Amino acid sequence: MAKTLKERDAEVIWHPYTQMKVWPEAIGITKGEGVYLIDEEGNQYLDAIASWWVNLHGHSHPYIAQRVSEQLIQLEHCIFAGFTHEPAVQLAERLLPLLPGQMKKVFYSDNGSTAVEVALKMAYQYWQNKGIDRKRIIALEGAYHGDTVGAMSVSARSLFTKKFDPLLFDVSFIPFPTEENCIASLKQILEKNDTAAIILEPLIQGSAGMRMYGAEALEEIITVCKQHDCLVIADEVMTGFGRTGTLFACDQLTKAEPDIICLSKGLTGGTLPLGVTTCTQDIYDAFLGDDGMTTLYHGHSFTANPIACTAALASLDLSLKDECIENIRRISDLHRTFLQTAKQHEKVLDARQCGTIIALELNTGNATSYLNQQRNFIYRFFLERKILMRPLGNIIYILPPYCITNEELSFIYEQIQALLEVI
């Protein structure tokens, strides 16, 4: 008898974020359709987390698939040093006017971590090119910006970074924006006049447990940074393209604005890897010179891949449709109603929402932690009910594709309520 996909996988694959001794088998998925992932036995799993927060419009969306297939027979790859192509130029032309702030240039890479690496290099070298000694980077406590070394450096020191802490560069961390001493700590650091940039996840820290803070706090942080000539990097890798209720999280600011923005995840609707780092004209101009010394020496083999750029253009088409905007509003409203009920339950320590994202912090009898002892029980509980939920320890969250129906959301809510009775 032929081996199953699950069996073959166990022989040759090492999965991310997985203790392979505890989880030696992976569910073999053969098809994606709308909000469902379908395994080799025909089981349908309702994808409540948009497959690691990337899938905006549903799996195997026919419009994106059609656009990608057309591009495949037109141009599949092109070196992006000294050459260009229509999908890359068109995507930049369409993205820049939509972004918060005064974004004027796009630098392409291939995922969220690399988009952050590019941003850090831009900010650091910007000051060097101007002949000014500013090298400090500031980040928020609890931050997560990716798994490459630079991205880990500006992320919280945690189980994600612990084994690599000796490799990471020094970063000044300030308290989470809801803490009273956040601004005071920020000002104290900035008064040293040696800070190159601050990097932050606007409105919500994802991997830290879907920790949320208001636009007013974000605005105050950015305003203080601007008063001290500190560049602001907005890591919108997760928050971009409607997740927070607005197209971008920084759209909720009224006066302050970032200097650099990082995008990935939903950029292509979850279809292909692609990263984007955008910046102001002032930052770009600082890299212009008559010799190579001011050049930004960074690139990737798949920089601005034409197929990925085409997927992003197709996803953007869908994101700007009235139907998608209405779906974002509908999901946000349904979440808000459910939270009013859920937060009353004795097993819920905290319930919070930011646009299409809701999170419940559960009382499991153990401290809130990514390694909370109930994490595996919670994960299996939802899998048995054919729902893909990937809890952050004892914190569960919903971050669905925008095409999810009211009935499908209601089913997820019902199963959460069932979990609260047995946890």
Side-chain angles (χ1 to χ4, degrees), residues 116-164:
V116 167
E117 294 282 345
V118 172
L120 294 172
K121 283 187 171 183
M122 276 185 184
Y124 188 87
Q125 189 176 339
Y126 168 82
W127 294 107
Q128 291 187 53
N129 287 355
K130 291 173 73 69
I132 300 173
D133 187 22
R134 283 177 172 258
K135 298 176 180 176
R136 186 190 303 272
I137 303 293
I138 301 174
L140 298 182
E141 291 179 355
Y144 174 82
H145 295 287
D147 292 331
T148 50
V149 173
M152 283 196 297
S153 295
V154 293
S155 299
R157 302 301 183 259
S158 66
L159 80 159
F160 294 110
T161 66
K162 188 172 182 60
K163 298 295 183 180
F164 311 102

Side-chain angles (χ1 to χ4, degrees), residues 208-244:
M210 298 296 169
R211 298 205 299 173
M212 303 174 186
Y213 61 102
E216 299 82 4
L218 176 61
E219 189 119 51
E220 186 174 12
I221 289 172
I222 296 178
T223 299
V224 170
C225 287
K226 291 302 183 72
Q227 291 170 349
H228 290 80
D229 293 328
C230 169
L231 297 179
V232 176
I233 303 170
D235 179 356
E236 293 239 24
V237 167
M238 183 194 75
T239 57
F241 304 100
R243 287 299 181 196
T244 64

Side-chain angles (χ1 to χ4, degrees), residues 258-305:
D259 301 287
I260 298 172
I261 296 175
C262 305
L263 302 172
S264 190
K265 289 196 181 292
L267 176 61
T268 68
T271 304
L272 287 164
L274 184 65
V276 157
T277 307
T278 67
C279 69
T280 62
Q281 188 68 42
D282 177 60
I283 292 175
Y284 174 78
D285 287 346
F287 289 80
L288 303 179
D290 295 325
D291 57 37
M293 295 305 296
T294 59
T295 302
L296 178 60
Y297 285 108
H298 190 103
H300 300 268
S301 300
F302 286 87
T303 292
N305 177 261

Side-chain angles (χ1 to χ4, degrees), residues 8 43 72 81 86 127 176 206 213 232 261 293 369 394 416:
R8 290 163 54 205
N43 296 306
L72 274 167
E86 177 64 26
W127 294 107
F176 191 67
Y213 61 102
V232 176
I261 296 175
M293 295 305 296
S369 164
N394 57 309
I416 290 176

Side-chain angles (χ1 to χ4, degrees), residues 64 91 267-269 274 307-317:
I64 300 178
L91 180 58
L267 176 61
T268 68
L274 184 65
I307 305 169
C309 289
T310 298
L313 284 163
S315 180
L316 189 59
D317 286 343

Side-chain angles (χ1 to χ4, degrees), residues 34-36 46 387 403-413:
V35 296
Y36 293 98
L46 205 170
I387 298 173
C403 60
I404 194 168
T405 66
N406 292 2
E407 292 74 22
E408 289 160 343
L409 269 176
S410 293
F411 177 67
I412 298 172
Y413 298 154

